[in-house]
Amino acid sequence: MTIKMLLAGSLTALALGATAAQADDALPAGSLDAVLERGASYGFTHYLEIEAKERGQVELEGWLDEEWQAEVRLALESGELYKESRKRRDDGPWGMSEAEVRLAMEVAVAEGMAEFEEIEFKRDDLIKVEGRDEAGRELEVTTRRGEEEALKVERD
């Protein structure tokens, strides 16, 4: 009996720990403004990917201008830079503008997204927003650049 109780308690603790760790890699949908402000301050003009990381950090990948593509990891609150890599490219900027990121998030929120983990630009002008709804269930919303409706919604 005691072993069963210990096992049940251990499994519950593991599940709670996994949920807490998972929630740490997400940001409230309303924090997108702060993320985009940090990105603009850094110099991003187009985004390929925005990803929430642990301890209130965010990783941004995209274009700084016509030549430079960058990937940075920074603290959302303080703006402290943890990682930076840049590469010169000659194919010009592509990806999502700030307005397109905002529109994709609006579509995701309309589908029930409360927290986002990742916003990613895909081929064929598709934008995928991954996160969770208010109940903590995984939610993935795909939209096309500039469109105000979801093309695909997956709920787990």
Side-chain angles (χ1 to χ4, degrees), residues 42 58 71-75 78-86:
Y42 193 82
V58 65
E71 184 175 335
V72 299
R73 185 171 181 160
L74 48 85
S78 69
E80 181 180 354
L81 185 64
Y82 294 106
K83 174 180 131 180
E84 175 187 43
S85 65
R86 294 181 185 215

Side-chain angles (χ1 to χ4, degrees), residues 109-129:
V109 168
E111 292 294 339
M113 188 158 300
E115 296 180 324
F116 73 94
E117 297 167 349
E118 182 177 29
I119 305 168
E120 184 177 11
F121 185 76
K122 305 295 249 174
R123 295 187 189 276
D124 300 326
D125 286 341
L126 297 179
I127 300 172
K128 183 171 72 170
V129 183

Side-chain angles (χ1 to χ4, degrees), residues 80-150:
E80 181 180 354
L81 185 64
Y82 294 106
K83 174 180 131 180
E84 175 187 43
S85 65
R86 294 181 185 215
K87 55 186 162 185
R88 180 172 262 153
R89 308 246 337 221
D90 59 3
D91 54 349
W94 54 278
M96 304 170 281
S97 68
E98 184 176 309
E100 291 166 334
V101 172
R102 288 180 192 282
L103 182 57
M105 182 60 79
E106 287 175 19
V107 171
V109 168
E111 292 294 339
M113 188 158 300
E115 296 180 324
F116 73 94
E117 297 167 349
E118 182 177 29
I119 305 168
E120 184 177 11
F121 185 76
K122 305 295 249 174
R123 295 187 189 276
D124 300 326
D125 286 341
L126 297 179
I127 300 172
K128 183 171 72 170
V129 183
E130 295 180 28
R132 287 188 290 283
D133 64 15
E134 287 288 336
R137 292 182 303 248
E138 290 183 16
L139 178 62
E140 185 176 299
V141 178
T142 303
T143 187
R144 188 170 306 283
R145 179 197 307 218
E147 292 190 9
E148 297 179 11
E149 294 182 15

Side-chain angles (χ1 to χ4, degrees), residues 12-85:
T12 301
L14 280 172
L16 289 173
T19 302
Q22 190 177 39
D24 198 28
D25 287 351
L27 293 169
S31 68
L32 182 63
D33 287 339
V35 170
L36 292 173
E37 285 174 20
R38 288 285 178 210
S41 294
Y42 193 82
F44 282 97
T45 62
H46 292 78
Y47 297 91
L48 300 174
E49 186 174 5
I50 298 171
E51 187 174 359
K53 296 294 189 179
E54 69 275 352
R55 296 184 303 278
Q57 296 175 18
V58 65
E59 192 166 280
L60 306 172
E61 182 180 349
W63 290 87
L64 301 176
D65 57 25
E66 298 293 319
E67 294 181 6
W68 290 98
Q69 192 175 18
E71 184 175 335
V72 299
R73 185 171 181 160
L74 48 85
L76 185 55
E77 192 173 308
S78 69
E80 181 180 354
L81 185 64
Y82 294 106
K83 174 180 131 180
E84 175 187 43
S85 65

